[in-house]
Amino acid sequence: MTGIMTDTSSFDYLLEISRRCDVGTTSLPSARDQLAVSWSGVGFLLGEHYCVAAMDDIAEVLTEPASTRLPGVKPWVRGVANVRGRLLPLIDLTVFLGESRTTEQRQRRVLVIEKGDTYIGLIVDDVFGMQHFPVDQYQVDSVFSSEKLAKYAQGAYQQAERRWALFRPSQLINDSDFYTVAA
């Protein structure tokens, strides 16, 4: 009978396949050797400052929606927008921080913050998407050129020549100055 393998030949065949698979392979590095600890966040631009916020702090990123101006408010309150049936207050974060605008309107994005009862949109100059930083690049004692930004930032990540301020939206929404909107 040709074509029918005996139990011994089946076993030998499997051993031959295993041997072929092992030829030319090297052992894999251990997970500990390969694991690079990193932190990820949403990168964005405020004036000339590169910032990053924790992914958990940003509910979504939108293009700047049409909004309705509110009378008698400070210039950094852009108004309210209807986003999927919800009213989203829009705050121009660059203007709030007293920074100069560095981008055109079409580049601006809205970082939506939704924490408890707070639902607010922060207009920023640009968004760079998810950024990844090795945790050993974090600097707690960072000095910021903007005192207002320093109030809402906690440290920074150094990545090549660029420094990314770690922006904390919770510090912003807990600040009483942020809610003083009457002009």
Side-chain angles (χ1 to χ4, degrees):
M1 278 185 158
T2 54
I4 297 178
M5 291 189 222
T6 63
D7 285 337
T8 306
S9 65
S10 297
F11 182 72
D12 291 338
Y13 180 69
L14 290 173
L15 284 176
E16 177 61 21
I17 290 173
S18 175
R19 187 190 65 72
R20 287 182 188 174
C21 290
D22 289 341
V23 173
T25 61
T26 58
S27 63
L28 295 172
S30 70
R32 189 174 10 144
D33 296 339
Q34 199 175 33
L35 182 64
V37 181
S38 65
W39 181 87
S40 299
V42 177
F44 58 96
L45 186 65
L46 287 175
E48 296 179 356
H49 304 284
Y50 288 86
C51 300
V52 65
M55 301 274 296
D56 294 345
D57 289 338
I58 308 300
E60 66 180 309
V61 177
L62 306 171
T63 56
E64 188 175 355
S67 61
T68 302
R69 297 274 312 152
L70 299 172
V73 295
K74 293 187 178 177
W76 45 267
V77 178
R78 292 292 294 272
V80 293
N82 182 342
V83 177
R84 292 182 296 281
R86 290 179 74 185
L87 288 181
L88 178 67
L90 294 175
I91 304 299
D92 193 325
L93 194 54
T94 304
V95 176
F96 175 75
L97 295 174
E99 298 293 320
S100 301
R101 214 164 270 294
T102 58
T103 59
E104 297 177 22
Q105 184 170 359
R106 62 185 158 86
Q107 286 180 270
R108 293 184 203 143
R109 298 292 181 261
V110 176
L111 302 177
V112 177
I113 310 298
E114 191 168 8
K115 297 282 184 196
D117 292 338
T118 303
Y119 180 64
I120 197 156
L122 304 176
I123 301 170
V124 297
D125 291 320
D126 203 355
V127 172
F128 304 110
M130 194 181 318
Q131 301 295 312
H132 308 282
F133 304 94
V135 292
D136 61 354
Q137 296 299 309
Y138 179 70
Q139 301 164 353
V140 176
D141 299 327
S142 291
V143 177
F144 300 104
S145 58
S146 166
E147 279 187 44
K148 278 199 159 186
L149 176 60
K151 190 173 179 180
Y152 308 111
Q154 186 178 36
Y157 283 95
Q158 189 69 38
Q159 187 180 59
E161 299 297 318
R162 186 167 290 157
R163 200 167 104 212
W164 296 78
L166 181 54
F167 186 79
R168 299 288 189 184
S170 59
Q171 290 176 300
L172 177 70
I173 62 176
N174 290 326
D175 183 10
S176 61
D177 290 342
F178 185 65
Y179 293 100
T180 309
V181 298

